[in-house]
């Protein structure tokens, strides 16, 4: 009986020793698996940061390209025409007929003043490109001023009081680019006459709401081609900065896009 | 002469040569002097065998002296390794004081000619705790460790395997000593053999990492 008990104790001791010997192996395997997961997580994070940086550079270039295109078109269609007209008017002045000359000089002065005004607006548009200096709300205001000038649209722009004074330059850039993209879509496809823009801030979330009274589209069937790509880009870009884009539209009932982004 | 090349001494001598080959040009003093510590271990082991084979009544005093160097060196290695993770000085000093107290108690109770079993168990527990703290630091640190190429990781892993197993063996020594696997050797002989293979295997690999793989992994 005593021999049996001794045997059992010995077996227990052997098993306990075996557990002691195997335990470190489990610890090492666990550390190794955990470390590998951490490695994957860190690498994914790095990749995301790289993607974000490259997306930011791309956005910066797109904003500049869009601004340059607008300026180019404006110089050609508007300021160029005004200056040509000024030149023609000045050329046609007959110094012998002072009364008519006076009238033509006045017309030329008026045309020149209008050109200067247009140039000033273009200058503001270029400033909008320098988002860091003017801030998001002001950059959007300049974009709206330029759109208003065409006289085609009635624009209402409201900015909430709570918007943080110190923004986030990267997010500002992407939100600004989204705004440009939405305005482009409105100009090209919406056939709208009224546009409402609201920029608000509540509980750490910045929301940009742009609504138009244009032709709209069936939101569940994203329009094909470039327009569809534009909407995808809006969603993707909002996602990059941790936000989301809600696009509501219906045939003949206009479109409303709300971008919500954690801010700053 | 061949009698001196037991399983354990052979592994220790091999590890010493690997250290000599890999660490002689190392920039960090603790790694550079690793081969001296291993040389000391080999000398102590061979002296222990010499005393036993020549019928000297005691050889435990050799291991009692080696214990001081072993704990001192491994402690300093942990200090070197832990430097990048936290302030380890206080913890290391506390560990040294604790082991010193037990060493003194052992010496007072039975003198230098009996092996300081209690001190070695306390020392093993402390080194296991250091190893676990190192792993915890790896898990909670901001960066990941290239485990396959990390000399530090393999040094600590060797320590964990050896001192964890050593603690178990010390605790259950009386019972394990009665289990004979072969007519000549008990279970403890084989357990110690396996522990030595793990310890010196991991350490040798850590020297190889130190000499070649760490630098290569930095360029990957």
């Amino acid at each position: 009986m005593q021999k049996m008990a001794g045997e059992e104790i010995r077996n227990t001791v052997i098993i306990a020793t075996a557990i002691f010997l195997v335990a470190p192996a489990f610890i090492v395997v666990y550390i190794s698996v955990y470390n590998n997961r951490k490695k994957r997580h860190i690498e994914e994070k790095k990749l995301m940061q790289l993607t974000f940086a490259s997306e930011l550079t791309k956005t910066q270039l797109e904003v500049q390209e869009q601004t340059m295109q607008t300026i180019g078109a404006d110089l050609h269609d508007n300021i160029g025409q005004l200056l040509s007209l000024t030149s023609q008017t000045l050329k046609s002045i007959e110094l012998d007929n002072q009364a008519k000359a006076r009238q033509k000089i006045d017309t030329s002065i008026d045309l020149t003043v209008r050109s200067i005004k247009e140039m000033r607006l273009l200058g503001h548009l270029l400033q909008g490109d320098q988002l860091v200096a003017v801030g998001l709300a002001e950059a959007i205001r300049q974009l709206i001023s330029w759109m208003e000038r065409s006289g085609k649209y009635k624009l209402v722009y409201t900015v909430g009081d709570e918007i943080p004074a110190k923004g986030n330059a990267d997010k500002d850039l992407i939100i600004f680019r989204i705004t440009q993209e939405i305005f482009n879509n409105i100009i090209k496809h919406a056939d709208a006459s009224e546009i409402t823009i609201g920029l608000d801030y509540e509980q750490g979330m910045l929301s940009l709401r742009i609504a138009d009274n244009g032709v709209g589209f069936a939101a569940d069937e994203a329009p094909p081609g470039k327009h569809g790509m534009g909407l995808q880009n809006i969603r993707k870009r909002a996602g990059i900065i941790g936000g989301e884009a809600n696009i509501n539209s219906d045939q003949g009932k206009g479109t409303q896009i709300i971008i919500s982004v954690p801010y700053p | 002469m061949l009698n001196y090349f037991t399983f354990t001494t052979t592994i220790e001598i091999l590890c010493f040569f690997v250290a000599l080959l890999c660490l002689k040009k190392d920039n960090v003093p603790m790694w550079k002097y690793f081969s001296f510590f291993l040389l000391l271990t080999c000398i102590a082991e061979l002296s222990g065998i010499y005393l036993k084979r020549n019928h000297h009544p005691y050889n435990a005093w050799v291991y009692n002296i080696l214990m001081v160097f072993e704990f001192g060196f491994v402690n300093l290695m942990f200090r070197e390794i832990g430097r990048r993770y936290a302030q380890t000085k206080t913890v290391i000093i506390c560990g040294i004081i604790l082991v010193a107290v037990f060493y003194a108690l052992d010496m007072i109770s039975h003198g230098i000619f009996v092996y300081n079993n209690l001190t070695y168990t306390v020392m093993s527990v402390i080194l296991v705790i250091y190893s676990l703290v190192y792993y915890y630091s790896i898990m909670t640190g901001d960066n990941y460790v290239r485990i396959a190429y990390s000399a530090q990781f393999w040094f600590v892993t060797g320590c964990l395997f050896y001192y964890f197993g050593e603690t178990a063996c010390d605790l259950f020594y009386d019972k394990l000593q009665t289990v004979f696997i072969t007519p000549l050797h008990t279970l403890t002989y084989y357990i110690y053999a396996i522990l030595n293979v793990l310890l010196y295997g991991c350490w040798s690999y850590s020297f190889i990492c130190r000499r070649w793989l760490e630098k290569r992994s930095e360029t990957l």
Side-chain angles (χ1 to χ4, degrees):
Chain A
M1 192 70 180
Q2 213 170 18
K3 200 181 171 190
M4 277 286 284
E7 193 79 6
E8 271 177 27
I9 292 170
R10 209 172 70 165
N11 287 343
T12 313
V13 164
I14 291 170
I15 291 167
T17 311
I19 291 169
F20 259 78
L21 294 175
V22 173
F26 276 104
I27 295 171
V28 171
V29 169
Y30 178 74
I31 297 289
S32 176
V33 170
Y34 187 90
N35 189 63
N36 276 343
R37 270 194 203 153
K38 197 158 124 183
K39 181 184 167 190
R40 270 205 303 276
H41 175 73
I42 291 172
E43 280 172 354
E44 275 170 17
K45 210 167 129 185
K46 262 188 199 161
L47 191 71
M48 273 173 72
Q49 279 168 346
L50 276 176
T51 313
F52 182 74
S54 95
E55 195 65 38
L56 212 60
T57 313
K58 197 174 144 199
T59 306
Q60 179 83 57
L61 287 172
E62 280 178 9
V63 167
Q64 281 170 355
E65 194 185 334
Q66 176 74 46
T67 311
M68 288 306 162
Q69 267 179 17
T70 309
I71 290 170
D74 219 58
L75 281 172
H76 180 265
D77 302 340
N78 210 353
I79 300 168
Q81 299 296 329
L82 283 171
L83 290 175
S84 295
L85 205 58
T86 312
S87 163
Q88 292 299 325
T89 313
L90 287 172
K91 267 185 201 165
S92 66
I93 290 174
E94 290 165 14
L95 290 170
D96 302 339
N97 188 345
Q98 283 220 343
K100 216 169 181 185
R102 177 80 251 162
Q103 195 188 357
K104 283 186 178 175
I105 287 168
D106 286 344
T107 310
S108 299
I109 290 169
D110 186 44
L111 286 169
T112 313
V113 169
R114 277 174 61 190
S115 302
I116 291 168
K117 267 189 189 168
E118 292 289 337
M119 292 285 273
R120 203 165 281 154
L121 272 172
L122 278 185
H124 284 153
L125 209 60
L126 266 175
Q127 270 181 6
D129 191 27
Q130 307 295 317
L131 269 170
V132 183
V134 295
L136 179 66
E138 189 52 32
I140 292 175
R141 191 184 302 283
Q142 281 155 15
L143 204 61
I144 289 166
S145 302
W146 175 80
M147 274 192 77
E148 260 175 340
R149 182 204 49 105
S150 70
K152 277 187 186 172
Y153 308 101
K154 185 187 167 199
L155 287 117
V156 179
Y157 179 41
T158 53
V159 181
D161 303 328
E162 306 285 313
I163 292 176
K166 198 171 182 234
N168 177 321
D170 294 345
K171 287 182 180 177
D172 284 355
L173 179 71
I174 288 176
I175 296 168
F176 184 71
R177 176 64 197 138
I178 290 173
T179 314
Q180 275 188 336
E181 188 75 37
I182 294 171
F183 281 2
N184 263 347
N185 284 343
I186 293 172
I187 294 167
K188 285 180 188 165
H189 311 284
D191 196 20
S193 60
E194 279 180 32
I195 307 170
T196 315
I197 304 109
L199 189 65
D200 289 297
Y201 182 79
E202 203 179 329
Q203 291 175 339
M205 292 293 282
L206 184 79
S207 77
L208 171 73
R209 188 174 51 79
I210 302 177
D212 68 64
N213 65 344
V215 291
F217 58 90
D220 46 344
E221 296 166 22
K226 251 188 149 182
H227 189 32
M229 280 296 284
L231 292 179
Q232 271 182 29
N233 261 338
I234 289 167
R235 285 202 178 96
K236 189 182 133 197
R237 292 235 158 96
I240 282 173
I241 48 176
E244 57 174 20
N246 285 312
I247 301 168
N248 301 307
S249 185
D250 217 340
Q251 213 85 49
K253 289 181 181 171
T255 305
Q256 177 178 263
I257 299 180
I258 301 171
I259 311 291
S260 307
V261 176
Y263 200 79
Chain B
M1 184 65 191
L2 276 175
N3 287 342
Y4 287 93
F5 287 96
T6 63
F7 188 73
T8 305
T9 54
T10 308
I11 294 167
E12 282 170 352
I13 291 167
L14 281 175
C15 186
F16 163 67
F17 280 116
V18 175
L20 206 61
L21 182 74
C22 300
L23 304 174
K24 62 180 176 189
K25 288 179 184 168
D26 204 287
N27 298 326
V28 179
M30 281 316 296
W31 286 99
K32 194 173 181 173
Y33 299 132
F34 213 124
S35 41
F36 286 102
F37 165 67
L38 287 170
L39 180 65
L40 199 69
T41 310
C42 293
I43 291 168
E45 285 284 0
L46 295 172
S47 308
I49 294 170
Y50 171 81
L51 290 173
K52 196 177 174 187
R53 300 254 159 99
N54 288 282
H55 309 292
H56 285 272
Y58 307 109
N59 70 353
W61 62 271
V62 176
Y63 295 100
N64 283 341
I65 294 170
L66 178 68
M67 195 185 292
V68 176
F69 287 99
E70 184 180 342
F71 187 63
F73 185 81
V74 176
N75 247 296
L76 288 172
M77 274 304 291
F78 270 104
R79 172 144 165 69
E80 176 65 35
I81 288 168
R83 206 187 285 272
R84 75 158 72 165
Y85 296 102
Q87 285 290 329
T88 51
K89 202 175 170 181
T90 320
V91 181
I92 298 279
I93 288 171
C94 288
I96 289 173
I97 290 170
L98 193 68
V99 170
V101 168
F102 276 93
Y103 196 88
L105 286 174
D106 265 344
M107 282 292 168
I108 292 163
S109 69
H110 54 62
I112 197 168
F113 294 110
V114 177
Y115 189 61
N116 293 346
N117 211 21
L118 179 65
T119 309
Y120 204 78
T121 306
V122 172
M123 175 183 129
S124 298
V125 170
I126 289 173
L127 294 177
V128 165
I129 292 169
Y130 288 170
S131 305
L132 295 176
V133 170
Y134 168 77
Y135 287 144
Y136 180 73
S137 307
I138 285 185
M139 287 171 75
T140 53
D142 293 335
N143 299 318
Y144 64 87
V145 176
R146 286 179 187 274
I147 283 176
Y149 306 121
S150 168
Q152 299 184 344
F153 178 83
W154 289 107
F155 168 79
V156 176
T157 301
C159 289
L160 180 76
F161 273 115
Y162 184 79
Y163 292 109
F164 210 87
E166 171 69 39
T167 309
C169 276
D170 282 351
L171 290 175
F172 305 128
Y173 190 78
D174 294 340
K175 288 287 168 196
L176 293 173
Q177 193 65 6
T178 61
V179 184
F180 276 87
I181 302 290
T182 57
L184 276 177
H185 297 299
T186 61
L187 181 59
T188 48
Y189 174 84
Y190 290 100
I191 291 175
Y192 280 119
I194 292 168
L195 291 178
N196 277 314
V197 168
L198 288 170
L199 176 72
Y200 292 110
C202 286
W203 281 8
S204 297
Y205 184 66
S206 90
F207 304 153
I208 292 166
C209 288
R210 188 77 196 160
R211 176 73 176 88
W212 291 289
L213 301 179
E214 273 188 345
K215 279 171 196 158
R216 207 185 75 180
S217 78
E218 279 164 19
T219 58
L220 284 175

